[in-house]
């Protein structure tokens, strides 16, 4: 199995190292062979190749069975023009691989209840939500413009959605809901946005083919509030690109830390991009402080979704759980009485449990 490895910027390199450590251990245990091919993306690619998503990187990704990504971005490139920003590289990668569905599970490990920002009586038995975010359309990819007018500068971002873009991700979300608790919530802003009205029309039509799944609708402002008030009312959330970006960061905090959440981005075949949902955290880069669990859990998703290795994936999830149960914590999830460890140690502990 060929895996394209794109560490990116900031803490990217450190967390990727730990994810590979874990993969190597899985390979050893199950006598598998992973071939890693590294490429540049983001700010480091701008510095070395003059663009955030170089052709060589695209080639590596296209010739791989899956892509493992760290994070992109940093203050060094913040003033760059839009097409020379690190984030642009990530968006080009997603677009060129056609990964329209971004799965972001928000799971609270039982031992991390005290790390959640919610009270125990709100969290109750835990938390297990799956956010299905549309990833390659909407405001991120719609027409953008800067115009000089007599009143000054004007900027324009367009939210665009075509029915086929909504259909393909909706079907995927229903399939996922079917395998879970058969409950799907479409989150939108249909009281204001035309695109949201189209989403509702298409989702309600497709729901006729999934009568076993209970579908409901919620406006995004209300959803942001409900996630904090009673997160367990949600099972699978389906939403457009920008709402999904925002709500998944919010959901991550319920699980204790942004550093915990993995993601899988899938298109119509098995090849996918796997990355933690957090950013490049330039403030702690190189300090061995980053939490590698989001990336390690992303590798578990890779094994499951791209390679069909359920058992191996479960091994990784269990190893993470065991290490947390033993009280080890990186600084983002640290509480008094626990054992504080760095990025590298956390990766080693997890790989040792496999
Ligand atoms: C994410 C990130 C990206 C996004 C940024 C880095 C472009 O926030 O994966 O959630 O907005 O999609
Ligand atoms: Mg985000």
């Amino acid at each position: 199995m060929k895996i394209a490895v794109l560490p990116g910027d900031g803490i990217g390199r450190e967390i990727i190292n730990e994810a590979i450590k874990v993969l190597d251990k899985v390979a050893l245990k199950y006598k598998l062979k992973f071939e890693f091919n590294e490429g540049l993306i983001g700010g480091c690619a701008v510095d070395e190749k003059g663009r955030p998503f170089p052709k060589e990187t695209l080639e590596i990704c296209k010739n791989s069975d899956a892509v493992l990504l760290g994070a992109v971005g940093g203050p060094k490139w913040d003033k760059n023009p839009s097409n020379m920003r690190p984030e642009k590289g990530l968006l080009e990668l997603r677009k060129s691989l056609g990964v329209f569905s971004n799965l972001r599970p928000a799971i609270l490990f039982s031992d991390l209840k005290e790390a959640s920002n919610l009270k125990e009586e709100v969290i109750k038995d835990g938390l297990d939500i799956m956010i299905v975010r549309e990833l390659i359309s909407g405001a991120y990819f719609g027409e953008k413009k800067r115009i000089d007018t007599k009143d000054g500068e004007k900027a324009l971002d367009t939210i665009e959605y075509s029915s086929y873009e909504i259909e393909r991700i909706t079907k995927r979300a229903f399939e996922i809901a079917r395998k879970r608790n058969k409950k799907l919530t479409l989150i939108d802003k249909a009281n204001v946005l035309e695109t949201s009205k189209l989403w509702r029309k298409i989702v309600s039509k497709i729901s006729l083919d999934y009568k076993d799944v209970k579908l409901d609708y919620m406006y995004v402002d209300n959803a942001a509030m409900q996630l904090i008030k009673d997160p367990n009312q949600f099972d699978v959330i389906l939403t457009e690109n920008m709402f999904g970006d925002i709500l998944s960061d919010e959901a991550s905090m319920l699980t204790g830390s942004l550093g915990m959440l993995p993601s899988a981005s899938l298109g119509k075949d098995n090849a996918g991009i796997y990355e933690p949902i957090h950013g490049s955290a330039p403030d702690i880069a190189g300090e061995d402080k980053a939490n590698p669990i989001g990336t390690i859990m992303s590798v578990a998703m890779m094994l499951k979704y791209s390679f069909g290795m359920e058992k191996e994936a479960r091994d990784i999830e269990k190893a993470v759980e065991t290490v947390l149960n033993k009280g080890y914590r990186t600084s983002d999830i640290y509480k008094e009485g626990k054992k504080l460890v760095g990025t590298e140690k956390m990766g080693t502990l997890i790989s040792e449990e496999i």
Side-chain angles (χ1 to χ4, degrees):
M1 284 143 291
K2 282 187 171 176
I3 302 173
V5 176
L6 316 180
D9 310 313
I11 57 170
R13 165 70 60 189
E14 297 160 66
I15 53 176
I16 286 286
N17 284 350
E18 300 318 306
I20 288 185
K21 196 185 271 176
V22 169
L23 263 178
D24 281 339
K25 191 64 191 291
V26 170
L28 191 71
K29 177 170 174 187
Y30 291 97
K31 301 194 170 50
L32 305 166
K33 193 159 166 25
F34 297 114
E35 181 188 317
F36 301 110
N37 293 299
E38 218 178 282
L40 293 167
I41 192 166
C44 59
V46 170
D47 289 351
E48 280 190 43
K49 300 279 175 187
R51 50 203 290 194
F53 186 54
K55 272 206 293 295
E56 298 89 317
T57 306
L58 175 62
E59 277 314 303
I60 295 174
C61 294
K62 286 216 157 136
N63 289 321
S64 300
D65 303 306
V67 178
L68 176 61
L69 188 125
V72 298
K76 182 175 175 197
W77 306 281
D78 273 353
K79 294 211 167 65
N80 284 15
S82 309
N83 63 342
M84 282 295 169
R85 285 191 62 116
E87 292 81 358
K88 180 74 180 170
L90 182 55
L91 300 185
E92 280 178 26
L93 167 69
R94 290 170 176 170
K95 189 77 172 179
S96 55
L97 296 192
V99 290
F100 56 84
S101 55
N102 183 209
L103 315 186
R104 300 189 155 189
I107 297 165
L108 179 64
F109 287 94
S110 56
D111 240 59
L112 278 189
K113 270 193 190 161
E114 86 284 345
S116 171
N117 278 29
L118 295 186
K119 295 191 188 108
E120 279 223 53
E121 66 250 41
V122 179
I123 288 283
K124 294 186 194 115
D125 295 332
L127 188 76
D128 183 355
I129 300 173
M130 175 67 94
I131 298 181
V132 180
R133 168 191 178 195
E134 199 292 325
L135 200 60
I136 52 174
S137 191
Y140 280 61
F141 295 93
E143 198 192 346
K144 292 169 189 293
K145 254 194 204 150
R146 279 294 182 95
I147 311 163
D148 281 318
T149 73
K150 63 176 185 355
D151 303 317
E153 253 191 306
K154 184 172 167 174
L156 232 126
D157 294 292
T158 324
I159 306 178
E160 291 177 26
Y161 270 105
S162 299
S163 51
Y164 78 93
E165 293 171 320
I166 304 171
E167 277 158 16
R168 60 189 180 185
I169 187 154
T170 300
K171 286 182 190 154
R172 178 145 298 160
F174 270 111
E175 293 295 336
I176 291 170
R178 208 168 233 180
K179 289 198 196 128
R180 292 173 48 106
N181 292 325
K182 300 187 171 28
K183 185 165 187 283
L184 180 68
T185 307
L186 173 66
I187 294 181
D188 61 23
K189 191 71 187 172
N191 48 349
V192 178
L193 300 178
E194 208 48 46
T195 43
S196 288
K197 286 179 195 144
L198 183 60
W199 272 83
R200 279 204 185 197
K201 180 177 158 192
I202 289 170
V203 171
S204 88
K205 192 164 136 227
I206 292 176
S207 74
L208 300 176
D209 297 331
Y210 295 89
K211 290 210 169 106
D212 52 324
V213 177
K214 185 178 175 305
L215 168 70
D216 53 24
Y217 307 91
M218 197 181 277
Y219 297 141
V220 62
D221 47 349
N222 183 27
M225 183 268 279
Q226 295 292 342
L227 262 175
I228 305 289
K229 190 178 165 213
D230 177 20
N232 282 306
Q233 69 183 285
F234 298 104
D235 191 54
V236 179
I237 287 176
L238 168 63
T239 191
E240 63 103 72
N241 201 346
M242 189 159 56
F243 297 159
D245 178 45
I246 298 167
L247 293 177
S248 58
D249 268 31
E250 185 186 352
S252 77
M253 229 32 236
L254 311 180
T255 72
S257 165
L258 192 56
M260 298 292 299
L261 288 212
S263 85
S265 306
L266 302 166
K268 52 182 189 324
D269 51 28
N270 288 341
I273 305 172
Y274 299 86
E275 52 173 322
I277 79 153
H278 62 71
S280 60
D283 52 323
I284 56 164
E287 293 183 18
D288 193 40
K289 278 192 186 150
N291 184 348
I293 293 179
T295 319
I296 290 170
M297 293 292 282
S298 300
V299 159
M301 291 188 90
M302 174 190 290
L303 295 182
K304 190 158 144 190
Y305 290 103
S306 282
F307 303 146
M309 299 176 173
E310 299 265 350
K311 185 158 170 284
E312 292 81 347
R314 191 66 209 122
D315 263 19
I316 297 180
E317 291 163 5
K318 275 216 273 270
V320 170
E321 210 167 337
T322 307
V323 170
L324 292 172
N325 285 346
K326 288 185 176 173
Y328 294 103
R329 302 283 188 274
T330 41
S331 57
D332 56 319
I333 47 176
Y334 178 75
K335 287 270 149 69
E336 228 184 274
K338 301 291 174 187
K339 295 172 235 175
L340 182 65
V341 294
T343 312
E344 217 189 307
K345 180 79 182 166
M346 183 56 101
T348 301
L349 287 165
I350 293 169
S351 71
E352 280 170 1
E353 291 296 337
I354 290 168

